[in-house]
Amino acid sequence: MENFDKTMKFDIEELPKEEVRTVLLNVYHTLEERGYSPIDQIVGYLLSGDPAYIPRHNEARNQIRRLDRDDIMEQLVTHYIQSEQDSHE
């Protein structure tokens, strides 16, 4: 019988970082091109999971739906923390 009191390590199977980056940049530029506030729309999508925040134009909606929202948030937080650490060195 396994010991359920042990802390389990959780590893997310990582998508290539470049894929997340490429999709986010396409979504960002598509939203900008359509006259939306890209940050507001992307945050709305990440919080709600509702793809209606992302336009179909340039395949942006299809692309972002192929990514797990947790993977996107992990990449964003990682990039933010790394850039903050780099700026304080």
Side-chain angles (χ1 to χ4, degrees):
M1 181 164 184
E2 290 186 41
N3 184 355
F4 290 106
D5 292 332
K6 291 175 66 178
T7 300
M8 300 296 292
K9 184 176 179 184
F10 183 76
D11 289 323
I12 296 177
E13 186 176 312
E14 200 171 308
L15 282 172
K17 291 178 184 177
E18 191 59 34
E19 181 179 352
V20 173
R21 180 182 180 280
T22 301
V23 169
L24 279 176
L25 287 174
N26 180 50
V27 168
Y28 183 91
H29 293 303
T30 298
L31 286 162
E32 205 171 43
E33 182 180 307
R34 294 303 228 183
Y36 295 102
S37 169
I39 301 300
D40 292 345
Q41 295 300 112
I42 292 170
V43 168
Y45 170 72
L46 291 174
L47 291 175
S48 70
D50 186 349
Y53 284 99
I54 310 299
R56 296 176 199 269
H57 186 69
N58 292 334
E59 290 295 310
R61 187 179 294 176
N62 288 336
Q63 288 179 349
I64 204 163
R65 289 180 75 190
R66 286 188 207 117
L67 301 176
D68 189 278
R69 287 183 300 144
D70 291 342
D71 290 335
I72 297 169
M73 287 188 274
E74 179 188 16
Q75 293 288 330
L76 292 171
V77 170
T78 299
H79 180 75
Y80 177 81
I81 296 297
Q82 286 174 348
S83 68
E84 283 297 308
Q85 287 177 339
D86 292 345
S87 70
H88 293 323
E89 290 180 353

